Amino acid sequence: MARPVTLFTGQWADLSFDEVCRKAKSFGYDGVELACWGDHFEVDKAAKDKGYCKTRWDILQSHSLRAFAISSHLVGQAVCDLIDERHKLILPPDVWGNGEPEGVRKRAAQKMIDAARACRNFIDAAPKPTGFPAVVNGFTGSSIWHSIYAFPPTDQKYWQKGFDDFATRWKPILVEFDKVNVNFALEVHPTEIAFDIASAQRAIDAVGGHKRFGFNYDPSHLGYQGVDYVKFIRAFKDRIYHCHMKDAWWGHGDGTVGVFGGHVTFADPRRYWDFRSLGHGDINFEEIIVALNDINYQGPLSVEWEDSRMDREHGATEAAAFVKKIDFTPSKIAFDAQFDR
């Protein structure tokens, strides 16, 4: 049986939850991955009120949809970041508060703990078992991302301080995740503590290999960097807790903008790389499916649809069909087993 194909609702937060569910079903999806912004999934309510969680499932069921994960990228970003005015645009007012940086970070950490409890209540409220571990996807932020290019000269002691800060802030969060039997899946991504294979391993080491810390695999953030996105799956085969399907292309600009983006906006034709709708970029999804089968990943394939050049409803519909076409159930026997005597 092929994996369920879901739609991440984060790029659809301008629509009500009922409306995005209606559209997701019409686009051909089996379920949704719930964003913790807009009205799609309210962490505070879900953490305290199991009745609220039931209302989410009532809507999902009315559209014959399933769900397996929630995502709290925006709040998670603030846990380790150097806070500035940009964060006010993405954070709930109760997390932003007066904007004092350390206060923001501490409130964001508490909200992530609340997200674990909310996720537990949500998954427990499902009409029937989801069949997969409960997962909160998200970001971690980073106190050292600004030093990514090492000038002024940056030594390993400086970078280690950033990983130590990450560990100090996230270990207590992971303890609370463990108490409620929920996994945290970091979407490895530029601006996070982990943005490639080397930094992902260093992040694991920083939290002492905590079993609740893993990854929301997303190849689109790796390919344009030159990171082997298939090797990532094999390197962290026991920590792939969720999977985003998202495409990107690179090497398509006019040579005036490099991999760091040139301070130009997405879809600017000068850009070296950009996110694309599935099947329109340079990611080799067949190799990804083979690798996911090899590590026995059974979870959902969640389309995070981002393409500034394409109508999103057209793209999301096309993407659902694309993922269902490329996904396949692995064989239970070797192809030449019929010759065994």
Side-chain angles (χ1 to χ4, degrees):
M1 180 178 177
R3 287 163 280 243
V5 179
T6 61
L7 178 67
F8 178 39
T9 70
Q11 287 72 35
W12 307 76
D14 56 313
L15 304 178
S16 71
F17 186 55
D18 182 71
E19 178 67 5
V20 75
C21 285
R22 184 188 66 77
K23 287 182 178 292
K25 187 63 179 179
S26 71
F27 297 157
Y29 290 92
D30 304 312
V32 294
E33 171 195 350
L34 284 74
C36 295
W37 54 92
D39 81 333
H40 298 181
F41 191 82
E42 298 181 58
V43 165
D44 293 344
K45 290 182 179 179
K48 298 175 182 178
D49 181 4
K50 294 183 179 180
Y52 170 79
C53 293
K54 183 179 182 301
T55 68
R56 301 298 88 185
W57 283 107
D58 288 344
I59 293 172
L60 287 164
Q61 282 193 294
S62 72
H63 298 287
S64 301
L65 294 174
R66 295 184 287 167
F68 310 95
I70 68 169
S71 291
S72 188
H73 292 68
L74 307 187
V75 170
Q77 185 68 36
V79 174
C80 289
D81 259 12
L82 302 178
I83 304 298
D84 61 41
E85 64 273 13
R86 295 171 303 153
H87 293 81
K88 185 177 182 179
L89 300 176
I90 65 170
L91 293 174
D94 64 317
V95 174
W96 176 255
N98 63 4
E100 188 276 318
E102 185 58 19
V104 172
R105 287 188 283 265
K106 288 181 177 178
R107 290 188 291 274
Q110 181 57 53
K111 186 76 80 172
M112 291 305 296
I113 291 171
D114 293 342
R117 296 168 181 160
C119 182
R120 181 73 273 154
N121 286 343
F122 174 65
I123 295 300
D124 287 350
K128 60 181 180 180
T130 65
F132 305 108
V135 177
V136 176
N137 298 316
F139 290 152
T140 60
S142 171
S143 64
I144 53 173
W145 171 254
H146 68 285
S147 66
I148 191 68
Y149 192 83
F151 195 86
T154 311
D155 60 19
Q156 286 296 331
K157 290 182 180 179
Y158 184 94
W159 280 323
Q160 188 57 46
K161 287 180 182 178
F163 283 92
D164 291 344
D165 176 73
F166 158 69
T168 297
R169 296 181 187 279
W170 275 90
K171 278 183 176 179
I173 299 172
L174 296 172
V175 167
E176 298 303 318
F177 269 69
D178 194 36
K179 287 180 181 178
V180 293
N181 192 24
V182 174
N183 292 330
F184 174 71
L186 166 63
E187 187 170 333
V188 174
H189 185 296
T191 74
E192 309 312 314
I193 195 65
F195 53 91
D196 58 14
I197 294 174
S199 55
Q201 183 60 57
R202 195 164 178 175
I204 292 170
D205 295 342
V207 294
H210 200 291
K211 67 180 182 180
R212 295 300 175 183
F213 180 74
F215 303 115
N216 175 37
Y217 174 73
D218 187 328
S220 71
H221 304 299
L222 301 172
Y224 73 82
Q225 294 186 69
V227 178
D228 188 332
Y229 50 85
V230 178
K231 182 178 181 179
F232 187 99
I233 296 172
R234 302 186 190 282
F236 303 113
K237 61 182 181 180
D238 296 325
R239 293 183 185 269
I240 305 295
Y241 296 153
H242 193 262
C243 188
H244 270 180
M245 294 279 101
K246 191 168 77 173
D247 211 341
W249 72 3
W250 51 92
H252 293 264
D254 67 1
T256 64
V257 174
V259 71
F260 296 122
H263 295 312
V264 301
T265 56
F266 287 113
D268 188 308
R270 297 171 293 174
R271 285 178 64 91
Y272 171 74
W273 70 271
D274 232 323
F275 297 126
R276 295 304 316 274
S277 192
L278 271 75
H280 295 276
D282 295 319
I283 298 293
N284 187 326
F285 285 97
E286 182 171 351
E287 289 193 13
I288 288 171
I289 295 299
V290 169
L292 291 174
N293 283 345
D294 286 349
I295 69 167
N296 197 32
Y297 173 78
Q298 299 291 320
L301 302 177
S302 186
V303 171
E304 183 180 22
W305 193 85
E306 294 181 355
D307 190 332
S308 298
R309 292 177 168 86
M310 186 182 292
D311 174 78
R312 66 179 177 176
E313 296 199 9
H314 172 89
T317 303
E318 188 180 62
F322 177 86
V323 177
K324 290 187 175 185
K325 181 178 179 180
I326 60 152
D327 190 26
F328 57 88
T329 303
S331 175
K332 291 182 172 62
I333 62 169
F335 74 90
D336 56 354
Q338 66 269 31
F339 299 117
D340 289 347
R341 298 291 183 185

